[in-house]
Amino acid sequence: VLDAGEGTVLDAGEGTVLDAGEGTVVGGSPDAPASMAPVAPALRARGPSSLPLPAWPPAIFRARQVALRDLEALGVPTIVAEYGAVGAGLGSFAWIDYLRICGVPVDQIVALGVNPKPYGHYQLLCGNSQIPDHERLRSNSESTPDNIWGWPGYALREIWWELRRGAVGRAAGVWWQIFGEPSLAQTYTPRIGNVFRALDREARRIGWEQIFRYGRVRAIRQTDDGRYVVAYSTRGTGAPAGTPAHGLLIARYLHLAIGYPAIQVLPDLQRYREATGDFTDVVNAYEAHDQIYERLRRHGGLVMVRGRGIVASRILQRIAEERAHNPQIGVIHLMRSPLAAGRRSGMAQRAVHQHFELQPFNWPRGCWTGPQRKQLERASPADRKRLLGEWGGTTTARRRDWVELIERGLREGWYQVAFGEVERVERDSAGRLSTTVRARGQVRGELSYATDFIIDATGLDATIEANPLLQDLVRHYNLALNPLERLHVENDFEVPGLRNGDGRVYAAGAMTLGGPVAAVDSFLGLQLAAFRSVESLWAQRALGVRRLSSAQSIVQWLKWVRGVKP
């Protein structure tokens, strides 16, 4: 789910969920919990915005183009740079990493976000969904967000680290994985802590500390001189004391990578939470919910888990770990319907185990560098929707420990699977959570399950309607949406409806799903989007951007190896 790497529990690398990127909270009230982010009705492109704007940004932002003289008259702190990255997460990091390697100086780049570490929000979601730093992501070895060349990959680095420690057996085990995966050995995935340490190293190398600025973006507008102005506030961002409350960024080239704006809570659970205010016993897997595991360890209890992707499997693993301390813990795993066969595309069909579709990453591997990627780039919007429907879907990785856990749980009786559509969730007379279900499968009719906790592992929300900033941009500039109702981008990830003279806006991450890349919110997907957009900048002779020729690439890789600034 988060499978930050490539589908870890962040699945960021190869299809994360997270959108590893980006993850800054954009728009909306900084004090509102993400899970309660407002969702607007279905969006269609409209004329210049009639949405009510808050006190910031000011009324001049109602214009399609804002005059520079009006911005100067505001008298607020203004940053002027050639390149601006909105989000400051992993998607922004990938773009800026390419810019720096291609020659753009630090003082011409600004990244606006709420977390000074580019992986900060991603790390938080990983932790909440029970993926601590020592656990492995659902990501591939060559998906290296700290290294645009992908070599050496995480597997080779891990072999080297283990050999230096004298752990020859562990090093041999990693070598066997990358040699035999996926048929002869379990697919290799990196430890999340190793990924974060590598990102810290690259951030220091490219000068991320000088590039990053605290800011919660409120609105983006074209200016009357072919650039863009970004209005942001610093309230609730953790900015140093004395930082002005509001500011402006003016840039000729913008990159939008703002991740998932809201946690997705199933409608029946949302109704229950709104009616009762209970955010401790009924939670989304991406919310902080360690209190549930602490109470299970002390008192035991019955947990209902909903969803059957990679996050659900990780939640089940954490519950099983708690059973080592208190065996009086049980799980009811509620799914909508039984799953007897996996999705099919051509001659290929996914395997299924205990109603879970199994796949190493959340998209077929060819979606990154193989035939599926090329096919999707050439396809029409309608064909893209069809292809993504065939290749996508909820999956989890086949891991021996997880398969053994499920088999043991079924055998011992503490893990049970149920099927059906939820009618309602409420408290019963005994104070437990009662879930009423229209049953499916062998048993039909209305059933009720009494549990102590409910964990919703159905994911995050990346729709335009859930993101106030994107919602405003789409309406104000009549931006086109793709067939999946996400932001339409060209093959170079430009948002064509925002072109302003020489100015360009690019986008990456989950907001572009339905475009030229399937795994848009994975590590490798974010890097591919960055590569395409920086290539486009070079073609336009953008300031400071040099083409990365073969010779230049070798020189820059050697600098990366030595930790020398680009």
Coordinates of all heavy atoms in Angstrom, one line a residue, residues 106-194:
V106 N 21.5 25.7 -7.5 CA 20.6 25.7 -6.4 C 19.7 26.9 -6.3 O 18.5 26.8 -5.9 CB 21.4 25.4 -5.1 CG1 20.6 25.7 -3.9 CG2 22.0 24.0 -5.0
D107 N 20.3 28.1 -6.6 CA 19.6 29.3 -6.3 C 18.5 29.6 -7.3 O 17.8 30.6 -7.2 CB 20.6 30.5 -6.2 CG 21.4 30.7 -7.5 OD1 21.1 30.0 -8.5 OD2 22.3 31.6 -7.5
Q108 N 18.3 28.7 -8.3 CA 17.2 28.9 -9.3 C 16.1 27.9 -9.1 O 15.2 27.8 -9.9 CB 17.8 28.7 -10.7 CG 18.6 29.9 -11.2 CD 17.9 31.2 -11.2 OE1 16.7 31.2 -11.5 NE2 18.5 32.3 -10.9
I109 N 16.1 27.2 -7.9 CA 15.1 26.1 -7.7 C 14.6 26.4 -6.3 O 15.3 26.6 -5.3 CB 15.7 24.7 -7.7 CG1 16.5 24.5 -9.0 CG2 14.6 23.7 -7.6 CD1 17.2 23.2 -9.1
V110 N 13.2 26.3 -6.1 CA 12.6 26.4 -4.8 C 11.5 25.2 -4.8 O 10.8 25.0 -5.7 CB 11.9 27.7 -4.6 CG1 11.0 27.7 -3.4 CG2 12.9 28.9 -4.6
A111 N 11.5 24.5 -3.6 CA 10.5 23.5 -3.4 C 9.7 23.9 -2.2 O 10.2 24.2 -1.1 CB 11.2 22.2 -3.1
L112 N 8.4 24.0 -2.4 CA 7.5 24.4 -1.3 C 6.8 23.2 -0.7 O 6.2 22.4 -1.5 CB 6.4 25.4 -1.9 CG 6.8 26.8 -2.1 CD1 5.7 27.6 -2.8 CD2 7.2 27.5 -0.8
G113 N 6.8 23.0 0.6 CA 6.1 21.9 1.2 C 6.1 22.1 2.7 O 6.5 23.1 3.3
V114 N 5.6 21.1 3.4 CA 5.4 21.2 4.8 C 6.3 20.3 5.6 O 6.3 20.3 6.9 CB 3.9 20.9 5.2 CG1 3.0 21.9 4.6 CG2 3.5 19.5 4.9
N115 N 7.1 19.5 4.9 CA 8.1 18.6 5.6 C 9.4 18.8 5.0 O 9.6 18.6 3.8 CB 7.6 17.2 5.5 CG 8.3 16.3 6.6 OD1 9.5 16.2 6.7 ND2 7.5 15.5 7.3
P116 N 10.4 19.1 5.8 CA 11.8 19.4 5.3 C 12.4 18.2 4.7 O 13.4 18.3 3.9 CB 12.6 19.9 6.5 CG 11.8 19.4 7.7 CD 10.4 19.4 7.3
K117 N 12.0 17.0 5.1 CA 12.6 15.8 4.4 C 11.7 15.4 3.3 O 10.5 15.3 3.5 CB 12.7 14.6 5.5 CG 13.8 14.8 6.5 CD 14.1 13.6 7.3 CE 15.2 13.8 8.3 NZ 16.5 14.0 7.6
P118 N 12.2 15.1 2.1 CA 11.4 14.8 1.0 C 10.5 13.5 1.2 O 9.5 13.4 0.5 CB 12.3 14.7 -0.2 CG 13.7 14.4 0.4 CD 13.6 15.1 1.7
Y119 N 11.0 12.6 2.1 CA 10.2 11.4 2.3 C 9.4 11.5 3.6 O 8.9 10.5 4.1 CB 11.2 10.2 2.4 CG 12.3 10.3 3.4 CD1 12.0 10.0 4.7 CD2 13.6 10.7 3.1 CE1 13.0 10.1 5.7 CE2 14.6 10.9 4.0 CZ 14.3 10.6 5.3 OH 15.3 10.7 6.3
G120 N 9.4 12.7 4.2 CA 8.8 12.8 5.6 C 7.3 12.3 5.6 O 7.0 11.5 6.5
H121 N 6.5 12.7 4.7 CA 5.1 12.3 4.7 C 5.0 10.8 4.4 O 4.2 10.1 5.0 CB 4.3 13.1 3.7 CG 2.8 13.0 3.8 ND1 2.1 13.5 4.9 CD2 1.9 12.3 3.0 CE1 0.8 13.2 4.7 NE2 0.7 12.5 3.6
Y122 N 5.8 10.4 3.5 CA 5.8 9.0 3.1 C 6.2 8.1 4.3 O 5.6 7.0 4.6 CB 6.7 8.8 2.0 CG 6.8 7.4 1.4 CD1 5.8 6.8 0.8 CD2 8.0 6.7 1.6 CE1 5.9 5.5 0.3 CE2 8.2 5.4 1.1 CZ 7.1 4.8 0.5 OH 7.2 3.5 0.0
Q123 N 7.2 8.5 5.0 CA 7.6 7.8 6.2 C 6.5 7.7 7.3 O 6.4 6.7 7.9 CB 8.9 8.5 6.8 CG 9.5 7.7 7.9 CD 10.7 8.4 8.5 OE1 10.8 9.7 8.5 NE2 11.7 7.7 8.9
L124 N 5.8 8.8 7.4 CA 4.7 8.8 8.4 C 3.6 7.8 8.0 O 3.2 7.0 8.9 CB 4.1 10.2 8.5 CG 2.8 10.4 9.3 CD1 3.1 10.2 10.8 CD2 2.2 11.7 9.1
L125 N 3.3 7.8 6.8 CA 2.2 6.8 6.3 C 2.7 5.4 6.4 O 2.0 4.5 6.7 CB 1.8 7.1 4.9 CG 1.0 8.5 4.7 CD1 0.8 8.7 3.3 CD2 -0.3 8.5 5.5
C126 N 4.0 5.2 6.1 CA 4.6 3.8 6.3 C 4.5 3.4 7.7 O 4.1 2.3 8.0 CB 6.1 3.8 5.8 SG 6.3 3.8 4.1
G127 N 4.9 4.3 8.7 CA 4.8 3.9 10.1 C 3.4 3.7 10.5 O 3.2 2.7 11.3
N128 N 2.5 4.5 10.1 CA 1.1 4.3 10.5 C 0.5 2.9 10.0 O -0.3 2.3 10.6 CB 0.2 5.4 10.0 CG 0.4 6.7 10.8 OD1 1.1 6.7 11.8 ND2 -0.1 7.8 10.3
S129 N 1.0 2.6 8.8 CA 0.5 1.3 8.2 C 1.4 0.1 8.5 O 1.4 -0.9 7.9 CB 0.4 1.4 6.7 OG 1.6 1.8 6.1
Q130 N 2.1 0.3 9.6 CA 2.9 -0.8 10.2 C 4.1 -1.2 9.4 O 4.3 -2.4 9.3 CB 2.0 -1.9 10.6 CG 0.8 -1.5 11.5 CD 1.2 -0.7 12.7 OE1 2.0 -1.2 13.5 NE2 0.7 0.5 12.8
I131 N 4.8 -0.3 8.8 CA 6.0 -0.6 8.1 C 7.1 0.2 8.7 O 7.5 1.3 8.3 CB 5.9 -0.3 6.6 CG1 4.7 -0.9 6.0 CG2 7.2 -0.8 5.9 CD1 4.5 -0.5 4.5
P132 N 7.7 -0.3 9.8 CA 8.9 0.4 10.4 C 10.1 0.3 9.5 O 10.1 -0.4 8.5 CB 9.1 -0.4 11.7 CG 8.5 -1.7 11.5 CD 7.4 -1.5 10.5
D133 N 11.1 1.1 9.9 CA 12.3 1.2 9.1 C 13.0 -0.1 8.8 O 13.7 -0.2 7.8 CB 13.3 2.2 9.7 CG 12.8 3.7 9.5 OD1 11.7 3.9 9.0 OD2 13.5 4.6 10.0
H134 N 12.9 -1.1 9.7 CA 13.6 -2.3 9.4 C 12.9 -3.3 8.5 O 13.4 -4.3 8.0 CB 13.9 -3.1 10.7 CG 12.7 -3.5 11.4 ND1 11.9 -2.7 12.3 CD2 12.0 -4.7 11.4 CE1 10.9 -3.4 12.8 NE2 10.9 -4.6 12.2
E135 N 11.6 -3.0 8.2 CA 10.8 -3.8 7.3 C 11.1 -3.5 5.8 O 11.7 -2.4 5.5 CB 9.3 -3.6 7.5 CG 8.9 -4.3 8.9 CD 8.8 -5.8 8.8 OE1 9.0 -6.3 7.7 OE2 8.6 -6.4 9.8
R136 N 10.7 -4.4 4.9 CA 11.0 -4.2 3.5 C 9.8 -3.6 2.8 O 8.6 -4.0 3.1 CB 11.4 -5.5 2.9 CG 12.7 -6.1 3.5 CD 13.2 -7.3 2.8 NE 14.5 -7.8 3.3 CZ 15.7 -7.3 2.9 NH1 15.8 -6.4 2.0 NH2 16.8 -7.8 3.5
L137 N 10.1 -2.8 1.8 CA 9.1 -2.2 0.9 C 8.7 -3.2 -0.1 O 9.4 -4.2 -0.5 CB 9.6 -1.0 0.3 CG 9.9 0.2 1.2 CD1 10.6 1.3 0.4 CD2 8.7 0.8 1.8
R138 N 7.6 -3.0 -0.7 CA 7.2 -3.8 -1.9 C 7.7 -3.0 -3.1 O 7.0 -2.4 -3.9 CB 5.6 -3.8 -2.0 CG 5.1 -4.7 -3.1 CD 3.6 -4.6 -3.2 NE 3.0 -5.4 -4.2 CZ 1.7 -5.3 -4.6 NH1 1.0 -4.4 -4.0 NH2 1.2 -6.0 -5.5
S139 N 9.0 -3.0 -3.3 CA 9.7 -2.2 -4.3 C 10.9 -3.0 -4.8 O 11.4 -3.9 -4.2 CB 10.2 -0.9 -3.6 OG 10.9 -0.1 -4.5
N140 N 11.3 -2.6 -6.0 CA 12.4 -3.4 -6.7 C 13.8 -2.8 -6.4 O 13.9 -1.7 -6.0 CB 12.1 -3.4 -8.2 CG 12.8 -4.5 -8.9 OD1 13.3 -5.5 -8.2 ND2 12.8 -4.5 -10.2
S141 N 14.8 -3.6 -6.7 CA 16.2 -3.2 -6.4 C 16.6 -2.0 -7.2 O 17.2 -1.1 -6.6 CB 17.1 -4.4 -6.7 OG 18.5 -4.0 -6.5
E142 N 16.2 -1.9 -8.4 CA 16.7 -0.8 -9.3 C 15.8 0.4 -9.2 O 16.1 1.4 -9.8 CB 16.8 -1.2 -10.7 CG 15.5 -1.5 -11.4 CD 15.1 -3.0 -11.4 OE1 15.6 -3.7 -10.5 OE2 14.4 -3.5 -12.3
S143 N 14.7 0.4 -8.4 CA 13.9 1.6 -8.2 C 14.6 2.4 -7.0 O 14.3 2.2 -5.9 CB 12.5 1.2 -7.8 OG 11.8 0.8 -8.9
T144 N 15.5 3.3 -7.4 CA 16.4 4.0 -6.5 C 16.1 5.5 -6.6 O 16.8 6.2 -7.4 CB 17.9 3.7 -6.8 OG1 18.1 3.9 -8.2 CG2 18.2 2.2 -6.5
P145 N 15.3 6.1 -5.8 CA 15.0 7.5 -5.9 C 16.2 8.4 -5.6 O 16.1 9.6 -6.0 CB 13.8 7.7 -4.9 CG 13.9 6.6 -4.0 CD 14.5 5.4 -4.8
D146 N 17.2 7.8 -5.0 CA 18.4 8.6 -4.8 C 19.4 8.5 -5.9 O 20.5 9.2 -5.8 CB 19.1 8.1 -3.5 CG 19.6 6.7 -3.7 OD1 18.8 5.8 -4.0 OD2 20.8 6.5 -3.6
N147 N 19.1 7.8 -6.9 CA 20.1 7.5 -8.0 C 19.4 7.3 -9.3 O 18.8 6.3 -9.6 CB 20.9 6.2 -7.6 CG 21.8 5.7 -8.6 OD1 22.1 6.4 -9.6 ND2 22.4 4.5 -8.4
I148 N 19.5 8.3 -10.2 CA 18.7 8.3 -11.4 C 19.2 7.1 -12.4 O 18.5 6.8 -13.3 CB 18.8 9.6 -12.2 CG1 20.2 9.9 -12.7 CG2 18.3 10.7 -11.3 CD1 20.2 11.1 -13.7
W149 N 20.4 6.6 -12.1 CA 20.9 5.6 -13.0 C 20.5 4.2 -12.6 O 20.5 3.2 -13.4 CB 22.4 5.6 -13.0 CG 23.0 6.9 -13.5 CD1 23.2 7.3 -14.9 CD2 23.3 8.1 -12.8 NE1 23.6 8.6 -14.9 CE2 23.7 9.1 -13.7 CE3 23.2 8.4 -11.4 CZ2 24.1 10.4 -13.2 CZ3 23.6 9.7 -11.0 CH2 24.1 10.6 -11.9
G150 N 20.0 4.0 -11.4 CA 19.5 2.7 -10.9 C 20.6 1.7 -10.6 O 20.3 0.5 -10.4
W151 N 21.9 2.1 -10.7 CA 22.9 1.2 -10.4 C 24.0 1.9 -9.7 O 24.4 3.0 -10.0 CB 23.5 0.7 -11.7 CG 24.4 -0.5 -11.5 CD1 24.0 -1.8 -11.5 CD2 25.8 -0.5 -11.3 NE1 25.1 -2.7 -11.2 CE2 26.2 -1.9 -11.1 CE3 26.8 0.5 -11.2 CZ2 27.5 -2.2 -10.8 CZ3 28.1 0.1 -10.9 CH2 28.5 -1.2 -10.7
P152 N 24.5 1.3 -8.6 CA 24.1 0.0 -8.1 C 22.7 0.1 -7.4 O 22.4 1.1 -6.7 CB 25.2 -0.3 -7.1 CG 25.7 1.0 -6.6 CD 25.6 1.9 -7.8
G153 N 21.9 -1.0 -7.6 CA 20.6 -1.0 -7.0 C 20.7 -1.4 -5.5 O 21.8 -1.6 -5.0
Y154 N 19.6 -1.4 -4.8 CA 19.6 -1.7 -3.4 C 20.1 -3.1 -3.1 O 20.7 -3.3 -2.0 CB 18.2 -1.5 -2.8 CG 17.8 0.0 -2.8 CD1 16.6 0.4 -3.4 CD2 18.6 1.0 -2.2 CE1 16.2 1.7 -3.4 CE2 18.2 2.3 -2.2 CZ 17.0 2.7 -2.8 OH 16.6 4.0 -2.8
A155 N 19.8 -4.0 -4.0 CA 20.3 -5.4 -3.7 C 21.8 -5.5 -3.6 O 22.4 -6.1 -2.7 CB 19.7 -6.4 -4.7
L156 N 22.4 -4.9 -4.6 CA 23.9 -4.9 -4.7 C 24.5 -4.2 -3.5 O 25.5 -4.6 -2.9 CB 24.4 -4.3 -6.0 CG 25.9 -4.4 -6.3 CD1 26.3 -5.9 -6.2 CD2 26.2 -3.8 -7.6
R157 N 23.8 -3.0 -3.1 CA 24.3 -2.3 -2.0 C 24.2 -3.1 -0.7 O 25.1 -3.1 0.2 CB 23.5 -1.0 -1.8 CG 23.7 0.0 -3.0 CD 23.0 1.3 -2.7 NE 22.4 1.9 -3.9 CZ 21.7 3.0 -3.9 NH1 21.6 3.7 -2.7 NH2 21.2 3.5 -5.0
E158 N 23.1 -3.8 -0.6 CA 22.8 -4.6 0.6 C 23.9 -5.8 0.7 O 24.3 -6.1 1.8 CB 21.4 -5.2 0.6 CG 21.1 -5.9 1.9 CD 19.6 -6.2 2.1 OE1 18.8 -5.6 1.4 OE2 19.2 -7.1 2.9
I159 N 24.2 -6.4 -0.5 CA 25.2 -7.4 -0.5 C 26.5 -6.9 0.0 O 27.2 -7.5 0.9 CB 25.3 -8.0 -1.9 CG1 24.1 -8.8 -2.3 CG2 26.6 -8.9 -2.0 CD1 24.1 -9.3 -3.7
W160 N 26.9 -5.7 -0.4 CA 28.1 -5.1 0.0 C 28.1 -4.8 1.5 O 29.1 -5.0 2.2 CB 28.4 -3.8 -0.8 CG 29.5 -3.0 -0.4 CD1 29.5 -1.7 0.1 CD2 30.9 -3.4 -0.4 NE1 30.8 -1.3 0.4 CE2 31.7 -2.3 0.1 CE3 31.6 -4.6 -0.8 CZ2 33.1 -2.4 0.2 CZ3 33.0 -4.6 -0.7 CH2 33.7 -3.5 -0.2
W161 N 27.0 -4.2 2.0 CA 26.9 -3.9 3.5 C 27.1 -5.2 4.3 O 27.7 -5.2 5.3 CB 25.6 -3.3 3.8 CG 25.5 -1.9 3.2 CD1 26.5 -1.0 3.0 CD2 24.3 -1.2 2.8 NE1 26.0 0.2 2.4 CE2 24.6 0.1 2.3 CE3 22.9 -1.6 2.7 CZ2 23.7 1.0 1.8 CZ3 22.0 -0.7 2.2 CH2 22.4 0.6 1.8
E162 N 26.4 -6.3 3.8 CA 26.4 -7.5 4.6 C 27.9 -8.1 4.6 O 28.3 -8.7 5.6 CB 25.4 -8.5 4.0 CG 24.0 -8.1 4.2 CD 23.5 -8.0 5.6 OE1 24.3 -8.3 6.6 OE2 22.3 -7.7 5.8
L163 N 28.5 -8.0 3.4 CA 29.9 -8.6 3.3 C 30.8 -7.8 4.2 O 31.7 -8.4 4.9 CB 30.4 -8.5 1.9 CG 29.8 -9.5 0.9 CD1 30.2 -9.3 -0.5 CD2 30.1 -11.0 1.4
R164 N 30.7 -6.5 4.3 CA 31.5 -5.7 5.2 C 31.3 -6.0 6.6 O 32.2 -5.9 7.5 CB 31.2 -4.2 5.0 CG 31.7 -3.6 3.6 CD 31.4 -2.2 3.5 NE 32.1 -1.4 4.5 CZ 31.9 -0.1 4.6 NH1 31.1 0.6 3.9 NH2 32.6 0.6 5.5
R165 N 30.1 -6.5 7.0 CA 29.8 -6.9 8.4 C 30.3 -8.3 8.6 O 30.1 -8.8 9.7 CB 28.3 -6.7 8.7 CG 27.9 -5.3 8.6 CD 26.3 -5.2 8.6 NE 25.8 -6.0 9.7 CZ 24.5 -6.4 9.8 NH1 23.7 -6.1 8.8 NH2 24.0 -7.0 10.8
G166 N 30.7 -9.0 7.6 CA 31.1 -10.4 7.7 C 29.9 -11.4 7.6 O 30.0 -12.6 7.9
A167 N 28.7 -10.9 7.3 CA 27.5 -11.7 7.2 C 27.4 -12.3 5.8 O 26.6 -11.9 4.9 CB 26.3 -10.9 7.5
V168 N 28.3 -13.3 5.5 CA 28.4 -13.9 4.2 C 27.1 -14.6 3.8 O 26.6 -14.6 2.7 CB 29.6 -14.8 4.1 CG1 29.7 -15.5 2.7 CG2 30.9 -14.1 4.4
G169 N 26.5 -15.3 4.8 CA 25.3 -16.0 4.5 C 24.1 -15.1 4.1 O 23.4 -15.4 3.1
R170 N 24.0 -13.9 4.8 CA 22.9 -13.0 4.4 C 23.2 -12.4 3.0 O 22.3 -12.3 2.2 CB 22.8 -11.9 5.4 CG 22.3 -12.3 6.7 CD 21.8 -11.1 7.5 NE 21.4 -11.4 8.8 CZ 22.1 -11.2 9.9 NH1 23.3 -10.7 9.8 NH2 21.7 -11.5 11.1
A171 N 24.5 -12.1 2.7 CA 24.8 -11.6 1.4 C 24.5 -12.6 0.3 O 24.0 -12.3 -0.8 CB 26.3 -11.2 1.3
A172 N 24.8 -13.9 0.6 CA 24.5 -15.0 -0.4 C 23.0 -15.1 -0.6 O 22.5 -15.3 -1.7 CB 25.1 -16.3 0.0
G173 N 22.2 -14.9 0.5 CA 20.8 -15.0 0.4 C 20.2 -13.9 -0.5 O 19.3 -14.1 -1.3
V174 N 20.7 -12.7 -0.4 CA 20.3 -11.6 -1.3 C 20.7 -11.9 -2.7 O 19.9 -11.6 -3.7 CB 20.9 -10.2 -0.8 CG1 20.5 -9.1 -1.8 CG2 20.4 -9.9 0.6
W175 N 21.9 -12.4 -2.9 CA 22.3 -12.7 -4.3 C 21.4 -13.7 -4.9 O 21.0 -13.6 -6.1 CB 23.8 -13.2 -4.3 CG 24.3 -13.6 -5.6 CD1 24.9 -12.8 -6.5 CD2 24.2 -14.9 -6.2 NE1 25.2 -13.5 -7.7 CE2 24.7 -14.8 -7.5 CE3 23.7 -16.1 -5.8 CZ2 24.8 -15.9 -8.4 CZ3 23.7 -17.2 -6.7 CH2 24.3 -17.1 -8.0
W176 N 21.0 -14.7 -4.2 CA 20.1 -15.8 -4.7 C 18.8 -15.2 -5.0 O 18.2 -15.6 -6.1 CB 20.0 -16.9 -3.7 CG 18.9 -17.9 -4.0 CD1 17.8 -18.2 -3.4 CD2 18.9 -18.8 -5.2 NE1 17.0 -19.1 -4.0 CE2 17.7 -19.5 -5.2 CE3 19.8 -19.0 -6.2 CZ2 17.4 -20.4 -6.1 CZ3 19.5 -19.9 -7.2 CH2 18.3 -20.6 -7.1
Q177 N 18.3 -14.2 -4.2 CA 17.0 -13.6 -4.5 C 17.0 -12.9 -5.9 O 16.1 -13.1 -6.7 CB 16.6 -12.6 -3.4 CG 16.0 -13.2 -2.2 CD 15.4 -12.1 -1.3 OE1 16.2 -11.6 -0.5 NE2 14.2 -11.8 -1.5
I178 N 18.0 -12.1 -6.1 CA 18.0 -11.3 -7.4 C 18.4 -12.2 -8.6 O 18.0 -11.9 -9.7 CB 19.0 -10.1 -7.3 CG1 20.4 -10.6 -7.0 CG2 18.6 -9.1 -6.3 CD1 21.5 -9.5 -7.1
F179 N 19.0 -13.3 -8.3 CA 19.3 -14.3 -9.4 C 18.0 -15.1 -9.7 O 17.8 -15.4 -10.9 CB 20.4 -15.2 -9.0 CG 20.7 -16.3 -10.0 CD1 21.4 -16.0 -11.2 CD2 20.2 -17.6 -9.8 CE1 21.7 -17.0 -12.1 CE2 20.5 -18.6 -10.8 CZ 21.2 -18.3 -11.9
G180 N 17.3 -15.5 -8.7 CA 16.2 -16.5 -8.9 C 14.8 -15.9 -8.9 O 13.9 -16.6 -9.2
E181 N 14.7 -14.6 -8.6 CA 13.3 -14.0 -8.6 C 12.7 -13.9 -10.0 O 13.4 -13.8 -11.0 CB 13.4 -12.6 -7.9 CG 14.1 -11.6 -8.8 CD 14.1 -10.2 -8.1 OE1 13.7 -10.0 -7.0 OE2 14.6 -9.3 -8.8
P182 N 11.4 -14.1 -10.1 CA 10.4 -14.4 -9.0 C 10.1 -15.9 -9.0 O 9.4 -16.4 -8.2 CB 9.2 -13.6 -9.5 CG 9.3 -13.7 -11.0 CD 10.7 -13.6 -11.3
S183 N 10.7 -16.7 -9.9 CA 10.3 -18.1 -10.1 C 11.0 -19.0 -9.1 O 10.4 -19.9 -8.4 CB 10.6 -18.6 -11.5 OG 9.9 -17.8 -12.4
L184 N 12.3 -18.8 -8.9 CA 13.1 -19.7 -8.0 C 13.2 -19.1 -6.6 O 13.5 -19.9 -5.7 CB 14.4 -19.9 -8.6 CG 14.5 -20.5 -10.0 CD1 15.9 -20.6 -10.5 CD2 13.8 -21.9 -10.0
A185 N 13.0 -17.9 -6.4 CA 13.2 -17.2 -5.1 C 12.2 -16.1 -4.9 O 11.6 -15.6 -5.9 CB 14.6 -16.7 -5.0
Q186 N 12.0 -15.7 -3.7 CA 11.1 -14.7 -3.4 C 11.7 -13.3 -3.9 O 12.9 -13.1 -3.8 CB 10.9 -14.6 -1.9 CG 9.9 -13.6 -1.4 CD 9.6 -13.8 0.1 OE1 8.9 -14.7 0.5 NE2 10.2 -12.9 0.9
T187 N 10.8 -12.5 -4.5 CA 11.3 -11.2 -5.1 C 12.0 -10.4 -4.0 O 11.5 -10.2 -2.9 CB 10.1 -10.5 -5.6 OG1 9.4 -11.3 -6.6 CG2 10.5 -9.2 -6.3
Y188 N 13.1 -9.8 -4.4 CA 13.9 -9.0 -3.5 C 13.2 -7.6 -3.4 O 12.7 -7.0 -4.3 CB 15.3 -8.7 -4.1 CG 16.0 -7.6 -3.3 CD1 16.7 -8.0 -2.1 CD2 16.0 -6.3 -3.7 CE1 17.3 -7.0 -1.4 CE2 16.6 -5.3 -2.9 CZ 17.3 -5.7 -1.8 OH 17.9 -4.7 -1.0
T189 N 13.2 -7.1 -2.1 CA 12.7 -5.8 -1.8 C 13.6 -5.1 -0.8 O 14.1 -5.8 0.1 CB 11.2 -5.8 -1.3 OG1 11.2 -6.7 -0.1 CG2 10.2 -6.4 -2.3
P190 N 13.8 -3.8 -0.9 CA 14.8 -3.2 0.0 C 14.1 -2.9 1.4 O 12.9 -2.7 1.5 CB 15.1 -1.9 -0.7 CG 13.9 -1.6 -1.5 CD 13.3 -2.9 -1.9
R191 N 15.0 -2.7 2.4 CA 14.6 -2.2 3.7 C 14.3 -0.7 3.6 O 15.1 0.0 3.0 CB 15.6 -2.5 4.7 CG 15.8 -4.0 5.0 CD 16.7 -4.2 6.2 NE 17.1 -5.6 6.3 CZ 16.4 -6.6 6.8 NH1 15.2 -6.3 7.3 NH2 16.8 -7.8 6.8
I192 N 13.2 -0.3 4.2 CA 12.8 1.1 4.0 C 13.8 2.0 4.7 O 14.0 3.1 4.2 CB 11.4 1.3 4.6 CG1 10.8 2.7 4.3 CG2 11.3 1.0 6.1 CD1 9.4 2.8 4.6
G193 N 14.4 1.6 5.8 CA 15.4 2.4 6.4 C 16.6 2.7 5.5 O 17.2 3.8 5.5
N194 N 17.0 1.7 4.7 CA 18.1 1.9 3.8 C 17.7 2.9 2.7 O 18.6 3.7 2.2 CB 18.5 0.6 3.1 CG 19.1 -0.4 4.1 OD1 19.6 0.0 5.2 ND2 19.1 -1.7 3.8

